[in-house]
Structures are given as C-alpha cells and as structure tokens.
Amino acid sequence: IIGCQVRREPPNSTERYTRWINHLAPDQLLTQVFTSNGPTVIMPTWFCSRAWFSHVGPFDEGGRGVPEDLLFFHEHLRKGGGLVRVDQSLLLYRYHPGAATHSVLETTIWTHRVRFLEEWALPHWATFTIWNAGRQGRRLYRSLTAGSRCKVVAFCDVDENKIKKGFYCYEDSQERPKPRVPVLHFRAAQPPFVICVKLDLTGGAFEDNLRSLHLQEGRDFLHFS
C-alpha cells in the first residue's frame, strides 16, 4: 500500500493525529500498527494494484459500525504487504463529526487491535512488560487471552503510588490463587514493553523516559495506546 501525507480541513482539527500520520518514520509504518490511531498510512490516500486488492480484499461491507479500513489493513499485513508513504501532502482530508468513522464503537476497534497484537507481535516474545499500571494497562491485561496474560511478567510506571502498592491483582480471574502481577518503576522493568501510554500528551516527559533506555522500537517495545 502506498499513501501520502495529508492536510486537514479545518486546519486545527485532529491536530495530534494529523501530526502522527504525517511524521511517522518509514520503519514506524510497521511498528506502530497497533495504536488506537489505526492504519499508519491513512486510508483515503491508499494506492495498490488491483491484483493485490483482490488478493487481500474485499472490504468488509457489513455497514455502519464495521471498521473496514482497519480490517483490510490487518489482512494486508497478514499477507505480507508492505507500507510506503510519499512525504508530500497530496490530499485535503476534511473532518466532520458525522463521518462514518464515528459510528464504529471504540470497544469494537479495541477487540480487533488486541487480537491483532496477540496474533502478529506477542508470539515473538516469551515474556513482556506492560508500560502503564493505570487503567489502560490493566484493561489490556484483562483483554488478553489466558496464554498471553501468562507472558506478562510486570507492569511498569512512574507513579509512586502505583509502584508502592507493589502489584496488580486480577480480581475477576477464575484462577486460584488470583494472579498478582508486580508493579515496578520503569527503570527496574525488563523489556520488551507493550506501551499503553499515549504519545504526545505528557509534554515530552514520557518520550524522554523511553529514549533514556536506548531501546529499539519493534524489537524492544511496541506502542498500543
């Protein structure tokens, strides 16, 4: 799939998303496919051969509420498809609240994202740490299958209150004893990490912490939020 950068109309709508979609590095087009932002090459700019489209597709025509772009994107990757972005703004992408994309429930997208993470990334890791002991990190842990949950060796965070408690107990688990997962300071935790902290929201503090560990994206961590 080949796409391009976009210009948003109105200019300040979805500012964080537009910055993300336009400035991902070439390798991040593949390593950041699990985030809540969706496809790393924005769908209205997609080009591919008809033969490849027929091989991957068709789009799921289930109607409103079906994330057809995301489903096609995941299938494209499953079948070994590549991603390229032309670094020119060749499309005016208009934002309006009534767009069909807003009819897709966040819970539906979440389920597809978790399953794709489990299918495409987690099999390569024997164990991993979830970066964020708060709501999003715990939600990911609870959403994983039992086999994937067993690979979670710790949560990590910067919040001293979460770290002081020392562990997260999965109260809804049917296992006995209930799983208790350690909560560590991020500097005491071991990669690889599944990161459940949204980018570009902490004034650079999170990004600085991550860079200080000198990790390689894709091998040592993946972004999920």
Side-chain angles (χ1 to χ4, degrees):
I1 286 176
I2 301 172
C4 66
Q5 294 176 328
V6 299
R7 183 163 54 89
R8 210 56 157 139
E9 180 65 35
N12 294 324
S13 58
T14 65
E15 189 174 0
R16 284 179 56 251
Y17 171 73
T18 305
R19 186 162 53 244
W20 178 81
I21 203 71
N22 281 339
H23 295 101
L24 288 169
D27 58 328
Q28 291 177 320
L29 298 179
L30 284 173
T31 59
Q32 294 202 14
V33 297
F34 307 103
T35 77
S36 59
N37 288 328
T40 49
V41 176
I42 194 166
M43 184 272 168
T45 73
W46 286 358
F47 280 84
C48 67
S49 71
R50 184 177 294 276
W52 182 254
F53 177 84
S54 299
H55 178 62
V56 174
F59 278 104
D60 187 320
E61 300 292 346
R64 289 178 70 85
V66 175
E68 67 272 12
D69 299 356
L70 184 66
L71 297 179
F72 187 93
F73 185 73
H74 285 170
E75 191 61 22
H76 167 78
L77 294 173
R78 287 186 186 103
K79 292 187 172 179
L83 299 168
V84 175
R85 186 191 66 228
V86 175
D87 286 337
Q88 298 178 50
S89 180
L90 303 176
L91 180 83
L92 178 65
Y93 189 35
R94 190 177 302 279
Y95 173 83
H96 58 94
T101 187
H102 299 302
S103 71
V104 182
L105 296 176
E106 186 275 340
T107 51
T108 300
I109 294 174
W110 175 273
T111 299
H112 287 296
R113 289 171 55 217
V114 173
R115 295 290 86 84
F116 190 62
L117 177 74
E118 292 191 298
E119 174 188 343
W120 219 55
L122 298 187
H124 301 291
W125 292 344
T127 61
F128 65 97
T129 298
I130 295 177
W131 190 317
N132 187 348
R135 184 175 62 179
Q136 283 293 92
R138 296 194 304 267
R139 182 186 182 193
L140 173 61
Y141 178 82
R142 294 192 301 267
S143 300
L144 296 171
T145 60
S148 296
R149 277 198 303 272
C150 288
K151 293 185 174 186
V152 179
V153 293
F155 291 89
C156 71
D157 213 291
V158 296
D159 186 328
E160 291 297 335
N161 291 326
K162 296 185 180 77
I163 296 166
K164 275 180 191 173
K165 184 176 179 183
F167 65 90
Y168 164 69
C169 182
Y170 182 25
E171 296 290 353
D172 294 334
S173 174
Q174 300 303 307
E175 297 177 51
R176 295 294 182 274
K178 295 179 187 292
R180 287 192 171 197
V181 184
V183 178
L184 309 173
H185 189 276
F186 77 92
R187 293 200 182 280
Q190 291 296 313
F193 299 102
V194 175
I195 297 176
C196 294
V197 179
K198 285 194 177 294
L199 295 166
D200 202 15
L201 276 181
T202 61
F206 164 71
E207 288 82 359
D208 287 345
N209 287 336
L210 183 58
R211 278 193 294 270
S212 73
L213 298 179
H214 306 291
L215 303 174
Q216 180 180 324
E217 187 166 358
R219 184 194 68 189
D220 300 321
F221 68 92
L222 292 168
H223 290 284
F224 188 75
S225 280

